[in-house]
Amino acid sequence: MAVNIAIDGPAGAGKSSIAKRAAAALGYIYVDTGALYRTIGLNALRRGVDTKDAAAVIGTLADVQVSLRFVDGEQRVFLGEEDVSAAIRTPEASMAASHVSAIPAVREHLFALQQNIAAQNNCLMDGRDIGTVVLPNADVKIFLTASAETRADRRCRELAEKGMPTPYDEVLRDIIERDYNDSHRDVAPLKQAEDAVLLDTSALSFDESYAAVVKMIKERIQ
């Protein structure tokens, strides 16, 4: 039976980077569910659709093809046959993801894909509602967080390294807005599962955060 690890938390908490490295260390498949929502959001933006307009976004789902492919052991995200792994990491795609993820039809569209991957593989899946909705019976659940200011600082450095420098105030404002949107949506809001372990990485380096996550997982699956 597949072993499933769920890591949830707010935007910019370091879930993806930490989860990806932890999955590699454990020999598990890594599944970044946020990338799926970002791709739906990117597709809507490219079609000139207002991502806050649920009916318009739903209209884009009929022929959208989103898939996760593992290339040389690394997860890549495809929109049709286009690798959009880099394109979905802009602030615009991030906010679009927050908007479309609040739409029940979008969540239903991606739900089966996420569960099928988890049923067939030992995997580490991160997102907003993995431990509460997608994988409620996960073997290990971790809620990874950090202060909004810490997350904004980290995201600014990440964007600068990717050649997309963005003012700190703008990034902080986007993070606070996304936190509110994600935690107040009607469907599958961001929240810590009752049986999840809380890990606040505000005062931890990336290596320290990664080590803490791996330690938590190993303690619970051995």
Side-chain angles (χ1 to χ4, degrees):
M1 187 173 179
V3 175
N4 294 161
I5 313 298
I7 298 184
D8 290 308
K15 297 186 306 297
S16 297
S17 299
I18 292 170
K20 185 184 299 184
R21 183 172 168 186
L26 295 164
Y28 289 5
I29 292 279
Y30 164 61
V31 184
D32 174 6
T33 62
L36 302 175
Y37 290 99
R38 286 171 177 268
T39 305
I40 296 292
L42 176 68
N43 180 62
L45 289 174
R46 286 181 171 181
R47 295 188 183 194
V49 168
D50 180 355
T51 53
K52 292 182 179 179
D53 185 337
V57 172
I58 291 170
T60 70
L61 298 178
D63 58 355
V64 68
Q65 294 181 324
V66 181
S67 60
L68 297 178
R69 304 179 191 177
F70 296 91
V71 181
D72 296 328
E74 180 181 358
Q75 175 191 276
R76 308 295 293 179
V77 190
F78 284 78
L79 177 58
E81 291 303 312
E82 178 189 358
D83 184 341
V84 294
S85 303
I88 62 174
R89 296 301 169 183
T90 65
E92 292 78 14
S94 178
M95 192 57 67
S98 181
H99 296 157
V100 304
S101 65
I103 302 171
V106 173
R107 306 197 74 84
E108 291 169 8
H109 186 80
L110 297 174
F111 186 72
L113 172 61
Q114 297 170 40
Q115 287 209 317
N116 287 340
I117 294 173
Q120 297 170 14
N121 302 276
N122 289 342
C123 75
L124 199 161
M125 189 177 292
D126 77 72
R128 301 290 188 281
D129 64 344
I130 309 307
T132 54
V133 177
V134 180
L135 301 177
N137 297 315
D139 299 273
V140 182
K141 299 179 185 180
I142 298 171
F143 193 84
L144 190 68
T145 190
S147 69
E149 292 75 15
T150 297
R151 288 182 281 133
D153 182 64
R154 291 173 180 171
R155 183 58 60 86
C156 277
R157 284 187 272 120
E158 178 185 353
L159 290 170
E161 289 171 2
K162 292 180 177 179
M164 298 182 289
T166 308
Y168 171 84
D169 288 347
E170 179 180 328
V171 174
L172 178 60
R173 183 173 62 250
D174 285 350
I175 282 179
I176 292 173
E177 180 180 348
R178 183 156 191 194
D179 283 353
Y180 182 86
N181 290 342
D182 290 348
S183 60
H184 286 78
R185 64 190 182 211
D186 292 333
V187 179
L190 167 68
K191 64 179 180 179
Q192 181 179 341
E194 291 183 2
D195 53 347
V197 182
L198 176 66
L199 176 60
D200 188 323
T201 68
S202 298
L204 302 180
S205 67
F206 173 80
D207 286 342
E208 290 170 336
S209 302
Y210 157 73
V213 166
V214 172
K215 183 174 184 287
M216 288 178 173
I217 294 172
K218 287 184 174 180
E219 286 176 347
R220 288 163 177 78
I221 62 174
Q222 291 180 344

